[in-house]
Amino acid sequence: MARISVRLPDGSSIEVDEGARIIDVARAVGSRLAQAALAGRVNGRLVDVAAAVHDGDEVEIVTERDPEALHVLRHSAAHVMAEAVKDLFPTVKFGIGPAIEDGFYYDFDVERPFSPEDLAAIEERMREIVAEEKTFDRAELDRLEATDVFDGQPYKQELIAELPEDEHLSVYTQGSFTDLCRGPHVPHTGWIKAFKLMKVAGAYWRGDSARPMLQRIYGTAWFSEKDLAAYLERLQEAERRDHRKLGRELDLFSFHEVAGAGLPVYHPKGARILRVLQEWLRGVLYDRGYVEAITPHIYKADVWKISGHYDFYRENMYFFEVDEGDGRVNEYGVKPMNCPGHVLIYANDVRSYRDLPMRIFEFGTVYRHEMSGVVHGLMRARGFTQDDAHIFCMPEQVHDEVVAMLDLVDYVLKDVFGFEYSAEISTRPDKSIGDDAMWEHATRSLMSACEAHDLAYQINEGDGAFYGPKIDIKLKDAIGRTWQCSTIQVDFNFPSRFGLTYRTKDNDEAVPFMLHRTILGSMERFLGILIEHYAGAFPTWLAPVQAVLVPIADRHLAYCEEVARTLRSSGVRVEVYAENEPMRIKIAKAQAQKVPYMLVVGDREVETDSVGVRERSAGDIGAMSVAAFAEKLAAERP
């Protein structure tokens, strides 16, 4: 038999028989690798172990350690779940079943909603299918063959009908179940050792509320029971830290039907945290050469037509008509972002190169029409405040301005809050504006700024905004979840659309670059992240109440009030627990409210002009003077 040569990731080559598959390459390398092979890559494309290789191919064996391995496992688990449902509910109609972050789901059209008992039965049937080690067999069909295979399955028929007439489709079969699928899958069902079905939810077919409501079963799958147990433990921890739950318990905010979905009402403690955060960040920005603006919440529709939002973002905005009282009726739009106001400030005067860079920031509240089904507490709200800024600069200043922004990101996220983070640069999408030279300059500026800042980054090909490339910063919280917060974008669109110019050194007229940036992003979302990151136990400088005074007896109340006045004059946020309750009850209440310090006052403290200090986690740390305690708290500020 003829032999062919394929290249391995280490640069070496290996010979195998003509017609060999991925698994044959793995066996040629070694039996242990063959046992560990769950998929492969041929010239960078993920494939099954049964996929053929050809002479000159670059071949990689995918094992559990590969970043995409869990995705393959979970996609396969979705198919096993679908087979189990088919066995238990023979008349089921199948939607789609992809792998998702931390798990998988499949959509089913069944005669009645699934019950908890159904879920248990499906999971048990899945275990039986897994034990049978059924292979995932791939086949290619033409359109007519595929239509026959999925006779009686309207959702699959719809998907097939949308594909090009001459396209060959791939299907996978394991046991009694066949699905329309690109793959790849693990070699057999026995690979799916650790899984659990999590919940059932309603889901409209293709996300369209005018289409049928299907039953979506969510599950998770891992390579070991240990990994599954760790994941379930993380879920329990995430539930304990849920910002919506802690927001109620700590009296920070609430949501009300009369306000509509996704519009929080901040209670005094929640409002205090946001204001402290803003006041601190405001000082940081002033020190770094920013100027602050306050801009309107609504603009005439003309503004949004110039910006492009009216045509491309209208469904996410709130528009309304106003009778001006002089026979005119104008259409207005509530702002979904703060850019137009800052553009109007720039355009209000003649600018020269000497004015640049101009850095304008605003804690601006914006409103976006999110569907009620995707609104999630503070994490995705319809109304939120951005720590927004726009920098107008010359092309040659972009690099230095981005470096300065990254320095600010580093200080805020890492130095102050202790977050680890990573960066992603999104490049030019297919639909975009601006010439190649502008895109090249902007993208290279972002890359060189990251490199100058020694910040590693991934490339997110083609995911930039239509008006320019961007850097997205993703932070990791205390339990390992990642969150999108800071964004730095280069914009060619707004300056040209609004006719912004500046006079160059040669007295020519040029269009400035406009950099959009947020550090915290949505203040609401960042507050939600902080609540969950700290499990409600905010650092002292940010806590809504930093200390409570706990009098042992009523005769100590007057002294406590005097101490409270002294501490407040030093900027300490303090309360007096004056209720007629035992000291242990007051301390327990302060602990439940996650107050950083409890100041116990008895006869000795009154006599020595001191307080007995208890820290929420360390317990009793001894007596100190009121002035010393105030200095201690001042030292904890960033």
Side-chain angles (χ1 to χ4, degrees):
M1 180 176 288
R3 303 280 282 177
I4 61 172
S5 177
V6 297
R7 295 193 302 277
L8 301 178
D10 63 1
S12 64
S13 295
I14 192 169
E15 286 193 352
V16 291
D17 289 339
E18 189 175 23
R21 303 164 300 158
I22 288 288
I23 191 62
D24 299 317
V25 175
R27 289 193 186 108
V29 174
S31 59
R32 292 181 64 182
L33 183 61
Q35 290 176 351
L38 67 87
R41 286 192 187 85
V42 176
N43 303 324
R45 184 172 65 89
L46 200 62
V47 295
D48 304 298
V49 294
V53 298
H54 301 90
D55 191 50
D57 281 345
E58 294 182 359
V59 176
E60 181 179 359
I61 308 303
V62 173
T63 68
E64 291 182 13
R65 299 179 181 179
D66 191 278
E68 292 189 273
L70 273 172
H71 182 90
V72 176
L73 181 82
R74 289 163 179 164
H75 189 185
S76 302
H79 280 229
V80 169
M81 179 172 70
E83 181 181 358
V85 170
K86 180 177 183 290
D87 291 346
L88 296 172
F89 301 86
T91 61
V92 63
K93 305 295 189 297
F94 296 99
I96 58 172
I100 56 174
E101 184 177 3
D102 291 333
F104 59 90
Y105 71 78
Y106 212 112
D107 292 340
F108 304 100
D109 189 344
V110 285
E111 294 175 356
R112 60 170 176 80
F114 291 120
S115 68
E117 293 75 21
D118 293 331
L119 224 58
I122 294 166
E123 192 171 293
E124 181 57 34
R125 178 59 188 136
M126 288 177 67
R127 297 193 189 286
E128 295 170 356
I129 294 169
V130 165
E132 294 169 16
E133 296 191 355
K134 299 179 178 182
T135 58
F136 287 89
D137 297 318
R138 187 176 193 272
E140 289 195 358
L141 309 175
D142 61 29
R143 189 189 184 104
L144 183 59
E145 291 171 327
T147 301
D148 289 340
V149 166
F150 293 101
D151 183 41
Q153 292 291 333
Y155 305 109
K156 299 297 183 183
Q157 296 280 2
E158 180 179 325
L159 296 174
I160 293 168
E162 293 176 357
L163 296 170
E165 288 283 349
D166 57 349
E167 181 165 338
H168 276 68
L169 312 176
S170 59
V171 297
Y172 280 81
T173 300
Q174 93 276 350
S176 63
F177 179 69
T178 298
D179 204 0
L180 186 69
C181 179
R182 291 190 180 92
H185 288 284
V186 294
H188 58 74
T189 60
W191 277 82
I192 308 167
K193 295 182 174 67
F195 63 90
K196 182 176 178 59
L197 301 188
M198 306 300 294
K199 64 178 181 178
V200 181
Y204 291 112
W205 171 237
R206 310 190 86 169
D208 185 346
S209 59
R211 308 297 300 276
M213 171 73 79
L214 308 183
Q215 293 287 294
R216 176 172 294 177
I217 301 180
Y218 287 94
T220 188
W222 301 82
F223 283 113
S224 71
E225 291 291 345
K226 181 180 177 182
D227 289 343
L228 173 60
Y231 171 70
L232 296 177
E233 188 176 332
R234 287 198 302 274
L235 285 185
Q236 289 181 340
E237 181 63 16
E239 186 176 350
R240 185 179 74 83
R241 292 169 178 260
D242 190 316
H243 73 282
R244 296 165 298 179
K245 170 178 171 287
L246 289 171
R248 291 191 301 271
E249 293 174 357
L250 301 178
D251 195 26
L252 302 180
F253 57 83
S254 58
F255 291 91
H256 302 269
E257 182 61 32
V258 292
L263 293 169
V265 175
Y266 287 104
H267 300 193
K269 288 181 180 179
R272 176 60 68 91
I273 296 170
L274 281 177
R275 289 294 177 255
V276 169
L277 199 55
Q278 289 178 3
E279 288 163 11
W280 161 74
L281 187 54
R282 178 176 286 113
V284 171
L285 295 176
Y286 278 139
D287 288 344
R288 293 180 182 238
Y290 284 78
V291 292
E292 186 171 9
I294 301 174
T295 62
H297 287 233
I298 62 172
Y299 295 91
K300 288 182 179 179
D302 300 26
V303 170
W304 306 114
K305 290 175 181 177
I306 295 172
S307 72
H309 288 88
Y310 197 90
D311 293 326
F312 297 106
Y313 202 71
R314 182 181 173 85
E315 68 275 10
N316 298 108
M317 294 179 63
Y318 295 98
F319 283 94
F320 59 96
E321 290 187 342
V322 173
D323 185 343
E324 305 287 7
D326 56 3
R328 292 178 302 136
V329 175
N330 284 318
E331 187 178 20
Y332 285 78
V334 182
K335 66 176 179 180
M337 48 197 64
N338 300 298
C339 322
H342 298 185
V343 166
L344 295 178
I345 292 170
Y346 182 95
N348 198 53
D349 204 347
V350 176
R351 308 293 178 182
S352 84
Y353 71 94
R354 298 180 187 276
D355 300 314
L356 304 181
M358 175 183 284
R359 308 180 187 99
I360 303 174
F361 82 91
E362 176 178 10
F363 294 110
T365 301
V366 299
Y367 298 89
R368 297 178 185 176
H369 181 213
E370 302 280 9
M371 300 298 288
S372 60
V374 302
V375 169
H376 178 71
L378 299 181
M379 301 303 195
R380 190 159 182 176
R382 285 179 174 171
F384 54 93
T385 301
Q386 292 180 306
D387 66 320
D388 216 351
H390 296 91
I391 290 80
F392 301 91
C393 63
M394 296 181 286
E396 60 268 29
Q397 295 172 324
V398 172
H399 169 87
D400 289 346
E401 288 303 306
V402 174
V403 168
M405 292 178 196
L406 293 175
D407 179 66
L408 180 58
V409 167
D410 210 44
Y411 171 67
V412 171
L413 296 187
K414 186 172 74 174
D415 296 347
V416 174
F417 291 104
F419 287 117
E420 296 179 13
Y421 64 85
S422 59
E424 192 174 81
I425 295 180
S426 297
T427 60
R428 186 172 190 169
D430 292 335
K431 294 183 178 180
S432 58
I433 63 169
D435 59 39
D436 291 343
M438 293 173 71
W439 274 91
E440 175 63 26
H441 178 81
T443 305
R444 174 43 54 190
S445 294
L446 295 183
M447 291 177 175
S448 64
C450 287
E451 290 157 8
H453 206 271
D454 199 25
L455 174 62
Y457 58 86
Q458 299 290 324
I459 295 294
N460 189 5
E461 202 69 52
D463 201 43
F466 72 92
Y467 50 77
K470 62 176 180 173
I471 300 175
D472 287 325
I473 301 294
K474 298 181 178 180
L475 60 82
K476 183 182 290 186
D477 71 10
I479 57 175
R481 297 170 302 182
T482 57
W483 303 94
Q484 166 67 55
C485 285
S486 311
T487 298
I488 299 169
Q489 295 180 321
V490 183
D491 186 357
F492 323 123
N493 178 52
F494 262 67
S496 59
R497 278 180 175 264
F498 283 89
L500 304 186
T501 61
Y502 67 95
R503 302 303 296 182
T504 68
K505 289 181 180 179
D506 299 324
N507 206 31
D508 295 323
E509 198 171 73
V511 177
F513 274 50
M514 182 177 178
L515 308 181
H516 305 245
R517 77 105 187 98
T518 61
I519 304 300
L520 305 182
S522 157
M523 302 290 291
E524 277 68 15
R525 190 161 186 259
F526 193 73
L527 174 57
I529 293 169
L530 289 181
I531 292 170
E532 298 192 359
H533 178 66
Y534 293 121
F538 292 100
T540 304
W541 74 274
L542 196 54
V545 178
Q546 296 173 304
V548 294
L549 282 150
V550 182
I552 294 177
D554 286 349
R555 64 180 179 275
H556 307 126
L557 267 174
Y559 176 76
C560 285
E561 294 291 355
E562 179 185 337
V563 170
R565 285 192 293 272
T566 300
L567 290 175
R568 286 177 187 133
S569 68
S570 298
V572 178
R573 299 183 292 279
V574 62
E575 291 181 355
V576 178
Y577 278 6
E579 295 85 356
N580 185 21
E581 297 172 332
M583 185 179 74
R584 62 180 177 79
I585 297 297
K586 294 178 180 179
I587 290 176
K589 182 167 67 174
Q591 288 284 162
Q593 287 295 299
K594 304 183 186 295
V595 179
Y597 291 100
M598 289 138 275
L599 309 180
V600 180
V601 172
D603 291 339
R604 183 174 57 184
E605 285 76 24
V606 173
E607 292 169 4
T608 58
D609 194 22
S610 64
V611 288
V613 183
R614 291 180 61 88
E615 200 272 336
R616 66 184 164 201
S617 57
D620 188 357
I621 60 175
M624 62 180 67
S625 70
V626 176
F629 179 72
E631 290 173 4
K632 174 178 174 59
L633 262 62
E636 295 188 35
R637 298 171 189 158

